Amino acid sequence: MKFTDGMWCLQEGVNIEWMSNVERLRVQQETVNLLLNKFQRHRGDTLNSPTISATVTSPREGIIGVKLVHWAGSVDNGPHYTINQETGHSTITKNQDTKKLTYTSGALSLDINTNPNELGFVYHSEASKKLTGHSFRSIGYVRDARTPKYDMTDGLYAEKQGYMLAELDLGVGEKVYGLGERFGPLVKNGQTVDIWNEDGGTSSELAYKNIPFYISSKGYGVFVNHPGKVSLEVQSERTTRVNISVAGEEIEYFVISGTSPKDVLRRYTGLTGQPALVPAWSYNLWLTTSFTTNYDEQTVTGFLDGFKDRDIPLGVFHFDCFWMKSYQWCDFDFDEEMFPDATGYLKRLKDRGLKISVWINPYVGQASPLFEEGKKNGYFIKRIDDSVWQWDFWQAGMAVVDFTNPAACTWYTSHLERLMDMGVDSFKTDFAERIPIKGIKYHDNSDPARMHNYYALLYNRIVYNALNTRASSSHAALRQGGQQFPVHWGGDCESTFEAMAESLRGGLSLMLSGYIFWASDIGGFEGTPPPALYKRWVQFGLLSSHSRLHGSSSFRVPWIYGEDCSDVLRDCVKRKILLTPYILQEALRGHLDGVPLMRALFLEFPKDLNTYAVDTQYMFGSNLLVAPVFSEEGEVTFYVPRVEDESLGKWVSWFDYSKTYEGGQWYTETHGFDTLPILVRPGTVTITNPSLKAPEEEALGGIQVLVNGKLPSNISVELVNPSQTGEVLKTIRVSPAGDGKTVEVEGHDVDVKYLQN
């Protein structure tokens, strides 16, 4: 939110009390408490003006948090994010000569200037490089009369809306990324970003998945520990700052340091929760019924036969909304008119080797048999007068399940368990953005405004827990943070090349926010894709962490768009399956370190300044560069990053090993539908298995390693158990041989393929 009118003036109706002085200072173990006030000329300035209490802590090594509080008398009903904390890693020193206090956690330090009227915070790395900080007039309390609750006739007692404002410095050339799945430019500089979940599609500034965390090209990240609406002006109000504001009386943020952007993500996910793993079968191709199409068992069976006849591997079948009867979403019952023997039908699908997914949401339409049950037992969000909150926007008279009520959670879970008993393996948790905030109350009295964003976390946790309890330990242990509940699909996109590109931007942005899995609707959701777009999106979608054919009013089976589309899909699915050992290895590393499977080039090559703004290509794991084709003609322009050691060799085309690329160069090529730019990084070992028919198959036989160029050192390749994706079956050691051109392999018999000598 903007409060100023240029550098010198405030907007009409706005007053900001800037903190300029440290009035008091107290150190207690690993905590620093500061009392901040305005510029002090004499003792009279302590009257009729606010103070802000600042508390400095370090929950984990390399992370420093600051909590700023104006009034401490508010009732705090939550909710709150869970922060993973440790102690014993911080030191505090005071220099009596310079009046500087230094708070150090690992390689990160915060210098606080306590000289009279010279308040300043400077965060710096071990090398004394400034990362960010609070300079002149950057911590303040805002009173805003531009609010309905302000009534001038109340005189002295007129209430203005209060905001806490913290402005963090930006350096020259510094770039900001993340803040969730945002579909605009990957670099957030110049943007106004409100952390507020909304159902806005992919062609707007609104976002489904908002994360109050950004990562800087300068070597740090910032997490705002607030579940409600957080407004960020990223170089869009003050051109040298990120201005962060929240309505209310307090704000807390954490500065997270790292030796690289990957290291920042590792620390951030350690703070908020490591990303969970998924079963190997989920990496296979998903086919859905699409949204508003008419389908029954005969239609679906015809599609499945078509895939089998065309030798296109298929792993998961997804039933979208209309598996339930209209107006009754959600009642968790198959529409008996369309599926008279639902249990038998699911068994027949399972006999084909398919996993089953069904669409759900946290709403219950008034026509659902579950509505009266939920109303009677108090399972829904209520209005202040204890009536059920309802509206007609989506399902007629729909209510919203209150997941702060343990009994409602048990009730909701029981219906998921009933579906799992029938054979359902996965749930697509849709919606949870349209959560009311006015005139309502929750079972546990949570603050409705803070619950608007947080509600989706509760919803996904309930569903994830139900699946995790039923499934084996192939899933990781549950912790806090949205990245804990995979997989995350992109939003409703149009069937255009532009929408395909904006979907990629959204995915890369989310995966710079602590998430490691993401996918889009192949072919686009809205509209019917022309064949060229369908084939190009298939290429892109099968080089995403997960791959689903899904649309709105039209099916996405390939032969509808031409048999050549079937050929493209077959080739792309089989390529992804042979990459399964590589994908499982990269996913396990992501689970442990918070590094996503699909990576913006900046994340992998932060020393190459040319990568900073690139948002039309990505790294698929550590070794493979992918540049999707966003044109009907097949022309694509892409950048090949510099590797630090050029002696390792050149990048090599996946399709033609004789085709090499120099790092630090841009290339323009034209590709048919049988290829796209997939480049193998020099100095790497990529593990594949061409013998696999499905990702969940036994992994030890048929292993092949692709060696590109000279290896910088010994490389350990992990064979991950597809039945337990958190378990390493074997570690293969690949070492440079004495001749400098070949390698030696220890630990398992593999086929070695050299991409260049």
Side-chain angles (χ1 to χ4, degrees):
M1 176 176 286
K2 292 182 173 71
F3 300 109
T4 60
D5 187 8
M7 286 185 64
W8 319 120
C9 300
L10 298 175
Q11 294 189 16
E12 190 69 28
V14 173
N15 173 257
I16 303 179
E17 299 279 4
W18 295 110
M19 301 296 105
S20 301
N21 182 63
V22 177
E23 181 72 12
R24 293 192 184 92
L25 166 65
R26 181 166 59 93
V27 176
Q28 186 175 17
Q29 295 180 339
E30 296 181 65
T31 300
V32 175
N33 293 290
L34 305 163
L35 184 65
L36 311 180
N37 56 5
K38 70 177 186 179
F39 189 93
Q40 298 294 299
R41 298 165 299 174
H42 48 69
R43 296 186 71 178
D45 285 335
T46 63
L47 305 176
N48 304 316
S49 65
T51 61
I52 289 179
S53 298
T55 304
V56 182
T57 58
S58 176
R60 296 171 74 88
E61 184 177 348
I63 303 174
I64 295 177
V66 176
K67 186 174 184 179
L68 303 169
V69 179
H70 173 231
W71 286 340
S74 302
V75 176
D76 185 359
N77 291 325
H80 301 282
Y81 293 124
T82 298
I83 300 298
N84 299 315
Q85 302 194 51
E86 300 171 349
T87 58
H89 54 267
S90 304
T91 59
I92 301 169
T93 58
K94 290 187 288 185
N95 189 313
Q96 297 299 331
D97 295 330
T98 62
K99 301 294 183 182
K100 180 191 294 183
L101 180 145
T102 300
Y103 190 109
T104 300
S105 174
L108 177 65
S109 292
L110 167 60
D111 291 336
I112 302 175
N113 189 343
T114 64
N115 278 288
N117 296 321
E118 293 183 9
L119 173 65
F121 284 35
V122 177
Y123 296 90
H124 57 84
S125 64
E126 201 168 34
S128 297
K129 182 179 83 170
K130 178 181 176 180
L131 301 176
T132 186
H134 295 295
S135 49
F136 179 68
R137 288 191 171 182
S138 59
I139 297 175
Y141 181 71
V142 180
R143 288 186 171 92
D144 191 346
R146 303 170 301 178
T147 173
K149 76 176 183 180
Y150 177 69
D151 187 347
M152 187 181 300
T153 63
D154 289 339
L156 180 64
Y157 301 100
E159 291 190 49
K160 299 180 180 180
Q161 177 62 57
Y163 294 89
M164 294 299 297
L165 177 60
E167 303 182 358
L168 289 168
D169 298 336
L170 286 175
V172 176
E174 184 175 354
K175 308 300 181 187
V176 172
Y177 306 87
L179 298 173
E181 184 190 36
R182 317 207 78 84
F183 302 102
L186 181 66
V187 177
K188 300 302 183 288
N189 299 59
Q191 299 181 40
T192 296
V193 177
D194 287 334
I195 304 299
W196 191 249
N197 293 347
E198 296 189 74
D199 181 12
T202 65
S203 292
S204 77
E205 64 181 352
L206 306 182
Y208 301 90
K209 294 178 277 290
N210 293 266
I211 312 299
F213 168 77
Y214 67 81
I215 188 169
S216 164
S217 61
K218 207 170 181 180
Y220 69 95
V222 175
F223 170 58
V224 184
N225 186 24
H226 192 286
K229 186 173 186 178
V230 179
S231 182
L232 298 100
E233 299 291 341
V234 187
Q235 234 180 2
S236 49
E237 184 175 20
R238 286 295 299 272
T239 59
T240 56
R241 295 178 183 173
V242 176
N243 292 0
I244 307 169
S245 62
V246 298
E249 304 301 315
E250 65 179 52
I251 187 173
E252 183 176 33
Y253 70 85
F254 296 94
V255 172
I256 304 166
S257 69
T259 56
S260 66
K262 289 182 181 180
D263 196 35
V264 173
L265 286 180
R266 178 184 64 81
R267 284 200 166 102
Y268 167 68
T269 53
L271 181 72
T272 60
Q274 290 173 292
L277 288 168
V278 294
W281 57 257
S282 71
Y283 296 110
N284 213 331
L285 179 64
W286 297 49
L287 173 67
T288 89
T289 59
S290 290
F291 173 30
T292 60
T293 54
N294 291 317
Y295 62 89
D296 54 16
E297 179 173 347
Q298 183 178 1
T299 305
V300 173
T301 301
F303 288 160
L304 300 180
D305 288 341
F307 273 81
K308 182 178 180 180
D309 294 343
R310 292 168 176 81
D311 189 29
I312 302 174
L314 184 65
V316 184
F317 188 80
H318 170 74
F319 291 90
D320 217 58
C321 311
F322 281 97
W323 66 275
M324 294 176 284
K325 195 179 292 293
S326 60
Y327 294 110
Q328 296 186 191
W329 307 341
C330 279
D331 62 5
F332 307 101
D333 282 325
F334 278 83
D335 184 344
E336 69 277 3
E337 294 180 10
M338 304 299 289
F339 302 97
D341 177 24
T343 300
Y345 182 47
L346 294 188
K347 183 180 184 304
R348 291 190 286 277
L349 292 177
K350 305 280 279 192
D351 289 343
R352 287 175 174 258
L354 294 170
K355 299 292 184 179
I356 306 298
S357 169
V358 297
W359 174 98
I360 60 172
N361 64 39
Y363 312 142
V364 178
Q366 185 169 286
S368 169
L370 299 184
F371 181 85
E372 282 300 322
E373 183 181 350
K375 175 185 174 183
K376 176 182 176 181
N377 292 297
Y379 295 156
F380 301 136
I381 295 174
K382 295 179 179 179
R383 297 186 186 275
I384 298 299
D385 64 1
D386 279 333
S387 63
V388 175
W389 184 91
Q390 294 178 262
W391 69 353
D392 292 330
F393 194 34
W394 182 239
Q395 291 289 280
M398 56 160 265
V400 181
V401 178
D402 183 352
F403 290 120
T404 72
N405 183 346
C409 296
T410 300
W411 175 68
Y412 195 88
T413 299
S414 70
H415 293 289
L416 303 181
E417 291 172 340
R418 176 166 55 82
L419 288 167
M420 287 188 281
D421 289 340
M422 292 175 61
V424 171
D425 302 285
S426 176
F427 298 103
K428 174 188 173 183
T429 52
D430 204 356
F431 282 98
E433 306 96 359
R434 298 174 183 172
I435 305 302
I437 61 172
K438 292 185 177 180
I440 65 164
K441 62 180 180 180
Y442 284 89
H443 175 81
D444 71 348
N445 293 317
S446 285
D447 181 341
R450 293 171 69 95
M451 275 296 297
H452 174 83
N453 289 344
Y454 195 85
Y455 182 91
L457 193 67
L458 291 181
Y459 166 43
N460 281 280
R461 180 193 296 163
I462 292 298
V463 178
Y464 180 84
N465 272 343
L467 285 166
N468 207 29
T469 300
R470 182 66 62 95
S472 67
S473 59
S474 61
H475 292 282
L478 176 66
R479 285 198 208 164
Q480 185 70 1
Q483 65 270 13
Q484 289 300 294
F485 317 120
V487 169
H488 298 272
W489 305 100
D492 294 347
C493 48
E494 297 174 326
S495 295
T496 65
F497 281 109
E498 291 78 10
M500 179 178 156
E502 73 195 10
S503 294
L504 173 57
R505 293 196 300 269
L508 295 180
S509 184
L510 183 70
M511 286 179 287
L512 285 168
S513 307
Y515 289 65
I516 66 172
F517 300 120
W518 174 89
S520 59
D521 292 339
I522 294 176
F525 180 74
E526 296 287 353
T528 299
L533 173 64
Y534 182 92
K535 287 179 280 191
R536 294 304 183 190
W537 211 317
V538 160
Q539 291 179 325
F540 162 49
L542 268 298
L543 287 168
S544 300
S545 82
H546 288 77
S547 310
R548 182 181 68 171
L549 298 167
H550 183 57
S552 178
S553 58
S554 56
F555 296 115
R556 291 289 180 267
V557 292
W559 52 89
I560 290 178
Y561 308 95
E563 285 299 339
D564 58 334
C565 294
S566 299
D567 297 335
V568 172
L569 180 60
R570 180 192 311 109
D571 291 345
C572 291
V573 175
K574 290 187 175 184
R575 177 169 58 241
K576 186 177 183 184
I577 290 174
L578 73 85
L579 282 169
T580 295
Y582 172 72
I583 292 171
L584 293 178
Q585 175 186 250
E586 293 292 319
L588 180 56
R589 291 174 180 172
H591 160 65
L592 297 174
D593 297 333
V595 179
L597 200 56
M598 300 168 68
R599 305 170 190 172
L601 296 192
F602 148 76
L603 183 63
E604 192 70 33
F605 302 97
K607 294 183 179 180
D608 186 344
L609 301 184
N610 292 314
T611 66
Y612 279 22
V614 176
D615 58 11
T616 54
Q617 57 190 89
Y618 57 95
M619 292 295 294
F620 190 56
S622 303
N623 299 354
L624 302 179
L625 183 147
V626 178
V629 179
F630 296 106
S631 69
E632 186 170 355
E633 300 79 15
E635 184 174 282
V636 53
T637 298
F638 57 96
Y639 178 71
V640 179
R642 282 192 190 89
V643 293
E644 292 188 35
D645 186 353
E646 295 182 357
S647 70
L648 299 179
K650 299 179 181 180
W651 295 78
V652 172
S653 168
W654 174 272
F655 297 100
D656 182 357
Y657 299 156
S658 67
K659 196 172 186 179
T660 60
Y661 299 82
E662 297 280 354
Q665 301 292 324
W666 287 88
Y667 293 85
T668 297
E669 297 178 345
T670 300
H671 284 259
F673 294 112
D674 56 340
T675 63
L676 74 160
I678 305 175
L679 277 56
V680 185
R681 186 176 183 169
T684 61
V685 175
T686 304
I687 182 171
T688 67
N689 191 332
S691 70
L692 290 178
K693 302 300 182 184
E696 63 270 28
E697 285 185 352
E698 188 273 324
L700 293 179
I703 293 295
Q704 183 180 79
V705 294
L706 308 182
V707 178
N708 184 27
K710 177 183 175 183
L711 299 189
S713 59
N714 299 333
I715 293 179
S716 293
V717 177
E718 296 172 331
L719 291 178
V720 175
N721 186 352
S723 299
Q724 302 286 337
T725 54
E727 174 185 281
V728 176
L729 293 174
K730 276 191 175 183
T731 299
I732 302 173
R733 179 185 171 97
V734 183
S735 309
D739 59 10
K741 296 182 180 180
T742 59
V743 299
E744 297 175 350
V745 181
E746 299 177 16
H748 193 68
D749 290 332
V750 301
D751 175 28
V752 179
K753 180 179 287 189
Y754 298 95
L755 306 192
Q756 60 177 314
N757 293 323

